[in-house]
């Protein structure tokens, strides 16, 4: 894989071509921020955030579209209720290996934040040095389900399908894979909060107070269960995408968190 941000590059994981893009210094020159997208996201829907974060932090940034998303090859819809756990435990390590990454900081948004937390809490991978969780979810909330059902109405009879089709080659699989599993009766008891118990790396959690898909109960769950260092940022007047809605405050928190983490790692190495 060549380290560049030009579109059209793919890596192969389990025989499936996954769309990727890379920014800033390559592995070996600096740690890498690995960005894991939301339930309807992909490489392109991060917009210019990866480039901006690379410039602000001085780190490499690696983004990819999960199977079936964006320009990645066809997915595995309909999703099983444990699709985020499967992505974390069966796929993410292979992605990091295929990209040739060394030390990484996982940065996940929504579904991607849940996947990142599950990975850090259940897979022994010493490359993972820190965790940034944007609008994470660990359990189902009624308000979030209502927002997902509303998105279903918008997709069927509004303009949401047309908007998403600009970014996803398999737009119906993407949407209904996400929507149908979340709104299924079997998903009502979904809970992955036990992953928090096993975290042993610094964590930054960012949440919009007006997020329709999750309340501050998700952040409270982290605070109640975590044993490792935790920083939180709650943004007023902010919905589900702090990195797009409150770019400055979100980028500043991420940049400062990464800088502190790297200083701590360098100090530890010096003492050793």
């Amino acid at each position: 894989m060549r380290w560049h941000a030009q579109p059209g590059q793919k890596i192969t994981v389990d025989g499936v071509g996954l769309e990727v893009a890379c920014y800033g210094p390559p592995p070996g020159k600096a740690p890498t921020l690995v960005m894991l997208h939301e339930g309807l996201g992909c490489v392109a829907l991060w917009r210019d955030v990866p480039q901006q974060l690379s410039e602000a932090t001085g780190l490499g940034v690696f983004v990819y579209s999960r199977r079936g998303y964006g320009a990645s090859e066809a997915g595995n819809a309909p999703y099983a209720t444990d699709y985020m756990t499967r992505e974390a435990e069966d796929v993410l390590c292979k992605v990091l290996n295929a990209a040739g990454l060394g030390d990484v900081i996982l940065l996940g948004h929504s579904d991607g934040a849940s996947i990142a937390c599950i990975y850090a809490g259940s897979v022994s991978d010493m490359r993972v040095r820190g965790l940034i969780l944007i609008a994470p979810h660990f359990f189902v909330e009624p308000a979030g389900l209502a927002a997902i059902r509303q998105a279903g109405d918008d997709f069927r009879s509004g303009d949401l399908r047309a908007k998403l089709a600009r970014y996803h080659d398999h737009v119906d699989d993407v949407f209904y894979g996400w929507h149908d599993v979340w709104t299924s009766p079997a998903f009502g008891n979904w809970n992955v909060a036990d992953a928090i118990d096993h975290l042993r790396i610094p964590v930054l959690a960012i949440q919009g107070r007006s997020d329709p898909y999750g309340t501050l109960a998700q952040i409270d769950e982290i605070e109640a269960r975590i044993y490792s260092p935790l920083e939180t940022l709650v943004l007023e007047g902010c919905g589900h995408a702090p990195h797009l809605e409150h770019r400055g405050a979100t980028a500043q928190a991420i940049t400062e968190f990464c800088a502190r983490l790297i200083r701590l790692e360098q100090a530890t190495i010096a003492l050793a």
Side-chain angles (χ1 to χ4, degrees):
M1 185 191 78
R2 296 179 59 193
W3 191 265
H4 60 71
Q6 296 178 2
Q9 185 172 199
K10 290 185 177 180
I11 59 173
T12 301
V13 174
D14 290 334
V16 177
L18 301 180
E19 172 189 30
V20 303
C22 318
Y23 304 83
K29 299 294 186 181
T32 305
L33 273 173
V34 177
M35 299 181 68
L36 309 177
H37 63 74
E38 62 174 316
L40 298 178
C42 62
V43 167
L45 282 169
W46 285 110
R47 306 190 190 282
D48 58 351
V49 173
Q51 180 70 48
Q52 290 181 344
L53 287 180
S54 178
E55 293 171 356
T57 63
L59 304 179
V61 174
F62 173 82
V63 296
Y64 75 101
S65 297
R66 296 193 293 275
R67 182 175 181 176
Y69 288 83
S72 291
E73 292 178 4
N76 49 1
Y79 298 167
T81 55
D82 63 346
Y83 73 97
M84 285 177 271
T85 297
R86 293 187 185 189
E87 183 72 24
E89 296 183 348
D90 299 339
V91 180
L92 182 52
C93 185
K94 296 174 184 176
V95 171
L96 302 183
N97 292 343
L101 303 184
D103 287 346
V104 301
I105 300 168
L106 299 181
L107 186 161
H109 173 223
S110 193
D111 276 17
S114 304
I115 293 165
C117 188
I118 295 167
Y119 186 80
S122 62
V123 177
S124 179
D125 188 342
M126 295 302 293
R127 292 175 294 184
V128 181
R129 314 309 295 174
L131 199 57
I132 300 169
L133 308 176
I134 301 176
H137 36 244
F138 303 101
F139 49 85
V140 177
E141 295 185 88
L145 291 181
I148 292 170
R149 292 190 180 99
Q150 179 60 55
D153 293 340
D154 293 342
F155 189 83
R156 288 184 292 268
S157 58
D159 61 356
L160 181 57
R161 187 184 187 282
K163 289 179 178 178
L164 291 175
R166 296 200 294 265
Y167 301 100
H168 297 289
D169 292 348
H170 312 281
V171 65
D172 291 311
D173 286 350
V174 165
F175 184 82
Y176 287 115
W178 167 79
H179 173 274
D180 290 358
V181 71
W182 271 89
T183 57
S184 67
F187 204 74
N189 294 322
W190 176 80
N191 190 308
V192 295
D194 59 345
I196 303 167
D197 301 339
H198 304 286
L199 297 177
R200 297 296 182 266
I201 54 177
V203 176
L204 168 63
I206 302 173
Q207 180 79 23
R209 190 178 293 276
S210 302
D211 187 345
Y213 291 99
T215 72
L216 292 180
Q218 306 289 339
I219 303 301
D220 294 342
E221 189 77 11
I222 305 175
E223 293 177 332
R225 303 182 73 136
I226 199 165
Y227 290 92
S228 57
L230 171 68
E231 301 173 32
T232 62
L233 174 64
V234 176
L235 293 164
E236 303 295 333
C238 180
H240 191 56
H243 54 291
L244 299 176
E245 298 173 46
H246 288 248
R247 285 173 172 259
T250 301
Q252 181 178 353
I254 291 171
T255 300
E256 292 175 354
F257 174 81
C258 291
R260 283 191 292 271
L261 180 60
I262 291 170
R263 285 198 300 269
L264 177 63
E265 296 249 328
Q266 291 173 339
T268 302
I269 292 171
L271 289 173

